[in-house]
Amino acid sequence: MAFLLRVRENLRILLMGLLLVQLAGCAGLSSGGNGSNGNSGGGTTAPATPAGLIATAGNAEVSLTWSASPGATGYYVQRAMVSGGPYTQIAVPAANSYTNTGLTNGTTYYYVVSAFNFAGQSANSSQASATPSAPVTPPTAPTGLQATAGNMQVSLVWAASAGATSYHVKRSTTNGGPYTQISAPTAASFTDTGLSNGTTYYYVVSALNSAGESANSSQANATPVAPAAPPAAPTGLNATAGNAQVSLAWTASTGATSYHVKRSTTNGGPYTQVATPTTPSDTDTGLTNGTTYYYVVSALNATGESANSAQASATPVAPATPPAAPTGLQATAGNAQVSLVWTASSGATSYHVKRSTTSGGPYTQVAAPTTTSDTDTGLTNGTTYYYVVSALNTAGESANSSQASATPAGAAADVTITVNPAIAKPISPYIYGINFYSGVTGAPPLLTMDRDGGNRWTAYNWETNASNAGSDYLYENDDYLSPSTVPAEAVRSFIAGDQAVDAASLVTFQLQGLVAGDESGPVSTANPPDMTRFKTVVDKKSTVSSVPFTLTPPTTDANVYMDEFIWALDQKFSGMGIFGASPTHPTLISLDNEPELWNSTHLEVQGPTAVTSDNYITKTITLTTALKDQFPNAVIFGPVHYGFQGIYNWQGELSATPNGANWFPDKYLQALKTASTTYGKPLVDVYDFHWYVEEYDPNGTRALDLTSTTLTDAQIQLIVQSPRALWDPTFTDSTNSNPWIYQELGNTPINLLGRLQAKINAENPGMKISITEYENGGWNHIAGTIAQADNLGIFGAQGLFAASFWPPNGTYSYALAGFRAFRGFDGANASFGDTSLQATSSNVQNVVVYASTDSTTPGRTVFVAINRSASAQVTAINGAALSGTAYMYQMTATTTQGQSPVAPVSIGTMAVSGSSLTITLPALSVTTIDVH
């Protein structure tokens, strides 16, 4: 039939065409001209392919529409059952629409349309398809609803309703409703949680689809109940040994009616039940003394038995008897001291050392060590002392050992330390600092300042937490500092962590001028800066915008504001006054990082041209003014030099001379003094620089790269002498194979802190000094401990305001141990004093001692004595008023061997009085002496 319809339709079209030809001929004859309008009705070219074909499914039909093709006299509609054809012509409408009826619901039909006129037929249109479907009706009500009670919940299931796309679960606490909808699941089940045990809940369910909602199902109900369960396993099991018995006690388990006590002679079991008490205690008797017994306990009630408790063990023992008297007592004389050793007594837990100046006694107890040695100090040289030792345990004290005697004799001091209490200065609490405190594995306790600085922070965008890695890694913009989108979160979380450990924070503010505008990876340095990747830093928001400060600044504008940044940080710690006059733990401000190197470390924003010293100083004054306008008491650090060349001549820009007033600090200090005077208060409070020692061994290896656990004598001395470059006016850097700084300074001592302090005193009095990155090497050797301890002593003695160690790559526990000589040296909270006393060494190359008093504990004096020589040094410390007992803690190559972390060990005590103390310092050692 379709074929006959198409033949008939084609004949009709042919006849219409012939008629049009005839009419065209008549028109041409009548015109008497060229017949220019003769084809206006049918077109001289075939029409364009129809566009915009749309197929819309209906009930057993598909409606087609398309855009009319200009010049078309009709259209061929073709259909296929397979996408892409072949197609069969089904209609030849004259209009640009057609409805194909009599189709099968659920079958997909594919259509194309072509246009025709007298000149020919177009190509087929793009294909369109549709799937007819019967009208949708609401589903029937669900059946088979079942409700199953659980603990504070009811589980519902029902038979699925045909055609349903979801369900409404409705609940009531009244039989028959009214019901409240509580869920709309798409599956035929639901668990209603958070219910009250003992309450009956009534449920109905309806089914839904696009046509509407069914009636409710039949009602089902359930009453949640708490499950019956065995009691919890007992906790706190404690086993106490007695004579042939073990006493057990534990914390009662709620709901338990009795317990099973189980025992084993093997750690971890298997266990055998030995008792069934009804109270949380039991005594297991008839045991064998000396055998260890392991116990667990379970709890029971009518429902069942709990799991076993954690295991406890005890070893019954016969009643103790006092130990035997010690044997082998030996007394060795020293300088104002006697060293004693003896053979251990079996069963002894401690000893009493007793002394007399008369052979045979009577004796006076002078010590109670727990080990088999003791050093009796503070004695009189030339006097013979007689000793006996007794052993103790819980059963009592033994008889005295045989007597031993020795006569102390004075030894000439190798080094004399002269302490002058009249020359004292406060020690800033912020010299015991580190970079990235929370990220340092094995970080020492009680550190006081944490710096959040380095190359990463130069292009940090506080609004988004994006930053740029600079030359450290592909000049990459990313979210390395924080993945958070909360403004300033990278800094807020850092400060919060420091506050939690009672540390001050030093955070970086951006001075270079551009910050990361995205987190999209590496930035091209072909023609820097690429301003599509960065935002502009504006120091003072009000200079370009009237919009008030906000904690949620827009991130799509071109600017990032520094005064808004400091305001936002203060808001995030509201009420704490972190930038105020006297916060508990202040937040300090660093002006960016190592600006002399921006054109290499941050080529992506600075470009290849270095920032000039004039431009840098101008930028400093502008930013610090904006920050101090917000918080006048904020403490600001600058210029954050990378090293000596930045300090000396601004990386070659200036023509500095060794003893001239033409270094960069001279220019900087004078400019800041003038600007600060105009402003009315200091704009920069602390002169900050970095110090990575430029010391090289005979092979040309830099000290920072000496990471081995074994070093040559030359390498050791290179490291332990290196801190002297900071302060010692006699230090000639003689162990350095490449002393280029010493040479650049005209072969005169470097004495960097002394030179800087002199310039500050002359050009901007009152400015403080800090070193916020430093390293000396020897990371896995006692030399590294000595250098770090020496640094901390120097920082206190020289009056630095702040300092923060830069953690190197790899392991560096020995360097961190230097902090432990000053902070927590007793394994607890004992620390160096808060007031530095001048201490002068007669041989600083070998021994240096740092002296302090404690304003919170009158009469307390703390020394840190450093022997950097390869031999023991008898050291006399004179001039400090001493009274009481000296508690001594020490680190040597021997004591630190195998330690993790490396830390001081107690080496005993000695009585002290007067103004002199003599001690023998082992080779390459750090000794902390706490007198109180």
Side-chain angles (χ1 to χ4, degrees), residues 471-517:
S471 60
D472 291 344
Y473 188 73
L474 302 176
Y475 300 98
E476 176 175 284
N477 280 357
D478 54 34
D479 66 353
Y480 177 84
L481 293 178
S482 173
S484 175
T485 57
V486 176
E489 181 59 18
V491 182
R492 186 213 63 81
S493 59
F494 179 86
I495 296 172
D498 293 338
Q499 293 285 332
V501 295
D502 298 328
S505 303
L506 176 59
V507 301
T508 302
F509 275 65
Q510 289 62 51
L511 183 62
Q512 189 279 331
L514 297 176
V515 296

Side-chain angles (χ1 to χ4, degrees), residues 611-628:
V611 62
T612 65
S613 58
D614 286 337
N615 187 16
Y616 176 78
I617 291 171
T618 298
K619 291 162 78 74
T620 296
I621 293 170
T622 303
L623 176 55
T624 54
T625 299
L627 297 179
K628 295 249 177 173

